[in-house]
């Protein structure tokens, strides 16, 4: 077990802002990225918390991202679709800027979508769908990434790690949320295994020659695998299509080609889709919500847990004690990124 360091919550924010502004992000992007990193670290999402400051800094260094780009929301065309052009900035400021329009459009139409175009993207999706659920909406979010993942039956990186997130609003509890890569492991998770010197489980990746591997570096050099064989592969393909060609943006293969091996976060689009239950539930919101709660109770009654339960427990624990824990190695690396 590697040594860990305790970081006070205010220090998580301060360290993030200092590294991000030092790397070249303008104040608004730095704030949006630091907020996302804070939320992930508070929930003990190690693969997409403070660890992601490294790739954020690399993204500016690679020379293709604009650390000051301001989101441009397309004029309202009266439909349920909102588009926002990130202008080669990180995605988060654009999502933040367009979220009020997405909520308003969802309440108006019952279903609405937000397409974010031309963004660099490094982050977890759950905070975005959790925010939509906090506004009383059910929501989904999807993004491609880089072509690291082989389709079922194939051996070459074609799909991204393509996360899919879903949130369901609850009256008397925090929203039910899940958010997972459609690859067996997120790339960030493999990177953490490599740093910790731990072997991967079998079924996560194949090496350059297409042989199963448990070596994280061989996995990073070879091809990752989808979860659930052909089922995860089909979901990953769907995400490529909905968050790529459908919204006039890049697939994971195209994003990888765009990066020219220079490193940093993938560059592509993102789609969020939101539903207003009040427009679907026939005026029986309370009864239908109770039915959803009975489903959750049945899951818990069997000793199983709900997705997001671990995160919410971590959030409560870390908020109460006022600090988070990260590995000593990561802490040293972050100190090295300070200007
Ligand atoms: P995990 O495997 O850690 O978790 C997947 C989901 O399943 C979580 O919602 C988790 O809830 C839930 N879960 C886990 N175990 C159980 C269980 N036993 N019972 C019920 N639910 C469970 O996710 P990944 O490693 O695949 O992804 C981590 C993050 O990486 C995601 O937030 C994702 O958005 C991000 N990512 C981002 C990418 C990008 O391109 N931007 C690409 C790939 C991943 P809980 O959180 O409570 O444990
Ligand atoms: O962990 O797979 C990943 C990932 C890709 C882009 C951001 N995170």
């Amino acid at each position: 077990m590697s040594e860990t360091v305790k970081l006070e919550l205010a220090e998580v924010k301060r360290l993030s802002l200092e590294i991000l502004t030092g790397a070249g992000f303008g104040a608004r992007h730095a704030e949006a990225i630091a907020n996302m990193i804070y939320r992930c670290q508070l929930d003990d999402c190690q693969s997409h918390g403070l660890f992601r400051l490294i790739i954020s800094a690399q993204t500016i260094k690679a020379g293709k991202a604009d650390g000051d780009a301001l989101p441009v929301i397309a004029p309202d065309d009266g439909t349920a679709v909102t588009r926002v052009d990130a202008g080669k900035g990180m995605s988060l400021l654009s999502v933040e800027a367009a979220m009020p329009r997405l909520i308003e459009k969802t309440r108006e139409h019952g279903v609405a979508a937000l397409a974010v175009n031309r963004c660099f993207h490094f982050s977890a999706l759950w905070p975005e769908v959790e925010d939509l659920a906090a506004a009383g909406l059910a929501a989904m979010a999807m993004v491609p990434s880089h072509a690291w993942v082989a389709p079922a039956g194939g051996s070459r990186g074609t799909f991204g790690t393509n996360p899919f997130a879903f949130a369901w609003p609850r009256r008397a509890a925090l929203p039910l949320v899940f958010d997972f890569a459609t690859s067996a492991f997120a790339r960030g998770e493999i990177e953490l295994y490599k740093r910790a010197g731990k072997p991967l489980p079998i079924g996560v990746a194949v090496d350059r020659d297409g042989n199963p591997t448990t070596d994280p570096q061989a996995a990073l050099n070879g091809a990752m695998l989808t979860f659930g064989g052909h089922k995860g592969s089909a979901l990953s393909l769907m995400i490529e299509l909905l968050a790529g060609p459908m919204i006039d943006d890049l697939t994971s293969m195209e994003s990888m080609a765009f990066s020219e091996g220079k490193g940093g976060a993938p560059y592509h689009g993102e789609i969020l889709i939101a539903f207003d239950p009040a427009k679907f539930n026939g005026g029986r919101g309370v009864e239908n919500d109770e039915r959803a709660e009975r489903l959750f109770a049945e899951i818990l009654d069997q000793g199983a847990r709900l997705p997001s339960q671990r995160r919410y427990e971590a959030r409560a624990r870390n908020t109460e004690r006022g600090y988070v824990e990260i590995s000593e190695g990561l802490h040293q690396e972050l100190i090295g990124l300070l200007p």
Side-chain angles (χ1 to χ4, degrees), residues 40 43 45 47-48 52 121-127 143-146 148 160-165 177-189 266 268 304-312:
C40 285
D43 284 17
C45 294
S47 66
H48 287 75
R52 288 288 144 178
H121 199 290
F122 74 89
S123 46
L125 300 182
W126 64 259
V143 283
S145 59
H146 268 179
W148 295 304
T161 44
N162 298 6
F164 182 86
V177 179
F178 67 73
D179 177 16
F180 52 74
T182 46
S183 47
F185 267 33
R187 186 118 179 136
E189 198 63 30
H268 47 70
R305 76 161 169 95
L306 297 177
S308 59
Q309 197 172 316
R310 176 205 59 81
R311 270 195 314 100
Y312 292 148

Side-chain angles (χ1 to χ4, degrees), residues 75-89:
D76 186 350
D77 63 2
T79 72
V81 175
T82 300
R83 302 183 70 99
V84 56
D85 183 352
K88 295 197 173 165

Side-chain angles (χ1 to χ4, degrees), residues 95-274:
V95 174
E96 201 177 285
M99 204 59 127
R101 169 94 74 85
L102 174 61
I103 293 171
E104 185 192 314
K105 288 277 180 186
T106 309
R107 293 197 177 126
E108 182 186 347
H109 296 279
V111 184
L114 170 64
V116 186
N117 288 116
R118 303 203 305 139
C119 62
F120 286 85
H121 199 290
F122 74 89
S123 46
L125 300 182
W126 64 259
E128 295 168 358
V129 292
E130 188 182 321
D131 288 351
L132 288 165
L137 309 176
M140 297 174 177
M142 296 166 243
V143 283
S145 59
H146 268 179
W148 295 304
V149 184
S155 57
R156 280 199 306 277
T158 305
F159 300 144
T161 44
N162 298 6
F164 182 86
F166 170 78
W168 175 265
R170 300 175 70 185
R171 283 173 199 266
L174 289 167
L176 179 288
V177 179
F178 67 73
D179 177 16
F180 52 74
T182 46
S183 47
F185 267 33
R187 186 118 179 136
E189 198 63 30
I190 298 185
E191 285 162 358
L192 292 181
Y193 269 63
K194 183 182 149 193
R195 282 159 178 263
K198 286 196 312 195
L200 298 168
I202 206 79
V204 168
V206 291
D207 65 17
R208 267 187 209 286
D209 303 317
N211 300 313
T213 184
T214 59
D215 175 359
Q217 187 59 55
L220 294 171
N221 295 341
M224 297 165 68
L225 301 175
T226 58
F227 81 87
H230 63 282
K231 301 181 185 183
S233 191
L235 280 179
S236 193
L237 174 58
M238 175 192 78
I239 293 166
E240 291 287 335
L241 296 173
L242 291 180
M246 194 184 80
I247 62 164
D248 188 30
D249 219 312
L250 303 188
T251 62
S252 296
M253 287 187 355
E254 291 162 344
S255 168
M256 197 135 163
F258 173 84
S259 81
E260 299 176 302
K262 293 199 167 81
Y267 173 71
H268 47 70
E270 172 174 359
I271 186 162
L272 293 111
I273 306 167

